[in-house]
Amino acid sequence: MEETRWKEKIKPLDENAMEEARAHWMTVGKPLFSLGSLEDAVIQIAGIKGTSDFELRKRGLIIMCADNGVVEEGVTQTGQEVTAIVADNFTRGETSVCIMAEEAKVDLFPVDVGMATDVPSVTKKEYKVMYGTHNFAKEAAMTREEAVAAIEVGIQMVKKCAEAGYEILATGEMGIGNTTTSSAVASVLLGEDPKVMTGKGAGLTKKGLQKKVQVIREAVERMQPDKTDAIDVLSNVGGLDIAGLAGVYLGGAIYRIPVLIDGFISAVAALVAVRLVPECAGYILPSHLSDEPASRKILDALEKKPFLTCGMCLGEGTGAVAAMPLLEMGLQVYRKMGTFDDIHVEQYEVLDGKDER
């Protein structure tokens, strides 16, 4: 099984490094636990990196770009041509996430894992698995082998980033129709009705949403993907961008780099990765709570609490990039703030009813 091969390369978080980070937070001259989940994140990243003394200066965003055959069913407001246009704009600095990434000092890596057309500025033969998936309303989106190949592309991208010295990665995606594929995958993996897991995406009408739900429900009922086999679910009703991002999360665990979830689509990809190899969960961090209706259910299933709740639903990696400066602020308090002894203040104590985090 593919999962066994990936699992063998993933080691547990370093408990000693985490304990050292936890102990250091207790000495930092501020009220105990007062930075909340930012303190937890620093401790988790220490475990990922195997040291309590680390930086997150070199930051990358891997954006998986792919098209989805199910758009033939009229489940989107725009056509597939938009995927290629936006993917090209990633290389020109002309998208929302490009502007945000410049402010957050994050480098972009758009990947054509399965767009319907080649885009010279993005497409590389070694990363392209298919020219878009098949229409899952009529047939399986892809073969099992194609799903695995897309996962491997994600792993290879992380390896490339690790070799270039990147210290933290974010996930992003671009692909018209990918909220449909994500809702389908999530509904199967979580055993939920597609109506509960499906939103309007990039602006469907109420009637359009009803059709989207119907397409997903009928496809799931017809193909009966095995919910215990995440690759089977991907190959039947998923997308190449979801598969590629699942590989990014697995790659983060293999190469010991923390990876930030973006929004709905990348959260579904994280769920796929964790279902494939549960041990990778410790290498994944949340960023924000997407405005897509199923987002909280997915984060709850992953046992991840978002840092930000901005009502965002743009995709591209915007939420993950927005969380980067926040993490950096927490890390710099951890690294630079004096201890209670340094500032001549009596150290706080853990009081009754306030256990250590």
Side-chain angles (χ1 to χ4, degrees):
M1 293 290 286
E2 300 88 353
E3 300 93 316
T4 301
R5 182 174 76 249
W6 298 321
K7 181 177 179 178
E8 288 172 348
K9 299 177 182 179
I10 297 173
K11 297 179 181 179
L13 299 187
D14 188 320
E15 293 292 341
N16 289 333
M18 293 173 72
E19 187 53 42
E20 288 176 5
R22 191 176 290 112
H24 180 69
W25 271 126
M26 297 296 289
T27 70
V28 173
K30 62 170 188 57
L32 300 179
F33 319 120
S34 54
L35 286 182
S37 58
L38 295 182
E39 297 188 27
D40 297 335
V42 169
I43 293 167
Q44 180 182 347
I45 297 171
I48 292 170
K49 294 186 171 294
T51 176
S52 59
D53 183 11
F54 62 88
E55 292 272 22
L56 298 174
R57 296 295 189 186
K58 196 164 185 180
R59 311 162 192 167
L61 166 64
I62 298 175
I63 309 173
M64 289 291 171
C65 306
D67 279 302
N68 303 282
V70 73
V71 299
E72 294 175 3
E73 301 302 312
V75 294
T76 62
Q77 189 180 91
T78 57
Q80 284 187 333
E81 68 279 359
V82 175
T83 303
I85 293 169
V86 177
D88 184 45
N89 285 342
F90 287 139
T91 68
R92 301 172 184 272
E94 295 177 354
T95 74
S96 300
V97 79
C98 292
I99 295 167
M100 295 172 70
E102 184 177 5
E103 290 297 317
K105 297 180 175 59
V106 178
D107 299 326
L108 270 63
F109 299 100
V111 181
D112 177 4
V113 69
M115 289 193 291
T117 58
D118 288 337
V119 175
S121 62
V122 178
T123 304
K124 293 184 179 179
K125 185 178 179 180
E126 64 268 29
Y127 295 144
K128 188 150 190 166
V129 176
M130 296 171 69
Y131 283 85
T133 55
H134 306 298
N135 180 358
F136 72 58
K138 299 176 180 178
E139 59 184 309
M142 64 189 110
T143 66
R144 187 179 186 92
E145 292 72 23
E146 287 162 340
V148 171
I151 292 171
E152 290 287 354
V153 168
I155 294 172
Q156 287 302 309
M157 283 303 301
V158 177
K159 179 181 179 183
K160 182 178 177 181
C161 289
E163 291 171 348
Y166 282 87
E167 296 162 311
I168 187 168
L169 295 172
T171 51
E173 39 61 41
M174 180 59 216
I176 299 303
N178 62 8
T179 60
T180 303
T181 54
S182 297
S183 293
V185 170
S187 67
V188 175
L189 291 179
L190 297 183
E192 294 277 2
D193 188 301
K195 185 176 182 180
V196 176
M197 306 303 291
T198 307
K200 292 183 178 181
L204 285 177
T205 63
K206 184 177 180 180
K207 185 177 179 180
L209 175 58
Q210 290 172 344
K211 182 173 185 179
K212 184 176 176 180
V213 171
Q214 181 183 355
V215 167
I216 294 170
R217 181 177 287 124
E218 290 178 356
V220 170
E221 289 176 352
R222 184 179 66 258
M223 287 186 281
Q224 293 291 305
D226 181 0
K227 67 179 294 183
T228 67
D229 181 353
I231 295 178
D232 187 60
V233 178
L234 271 180
S235 60
N236 275 288
V237 297
L240 291 157
D241 50 354
I242 301 171
L245 289 177
V248 172
Y249 296 116
L250 292 172
I254 291 169
Y255 296 104
R256 302 191 77 90
I257 298 176
V259 180
L260 278 164
I261 299 170
D262 179 36
F264 177 53
I265 290 97
S266 64
V268 171
L271 183 62
V272 169
V274 171
R275 290 295 175 90
L276 287 171
V277 185
E279 290 79 1
C280 77
Y283 292 82
I284 299 171
L285 290 94
S287 64
H288 74 119
L289 179 65
S290 168
D291 209 33
E292 279 289 305
S295 294
R296 187 174 292 279
K297 283 183 177 292
I298 297 166
L299 288 179
D300 286 347
L302 291 167
E303 298 182 350
K304 306 290 182 185
K305 294 182 179 180
F307 299 123
L308 303 170
T309 52
C310 304
M312 296 169 65
C313 55
L314 176 58
E316 299 182 9
T318 48
V321 166
M324 288 279 199
L326 187 63
L327 280 175
E328 181 65 23
M329 289 180 212
L331 177 60
Q332 292 309 316
V333 171
Y334 168 84
R335 291 181 60 83
K336 294 180 177 179
M337 190 166 181
T339 66
F340 288 102
D341 286 342
D342 292 333
I343 62 174
H344 307 294
V345 172
E346 185 177 352
Q347 184 159 345
Y348 284 86
E349 297 179 3
V350 178
L351 302 177
D352 290 344
K354 179 66 175 178
D355 295 329
E356 293 187 29
R357 297 180 69 86

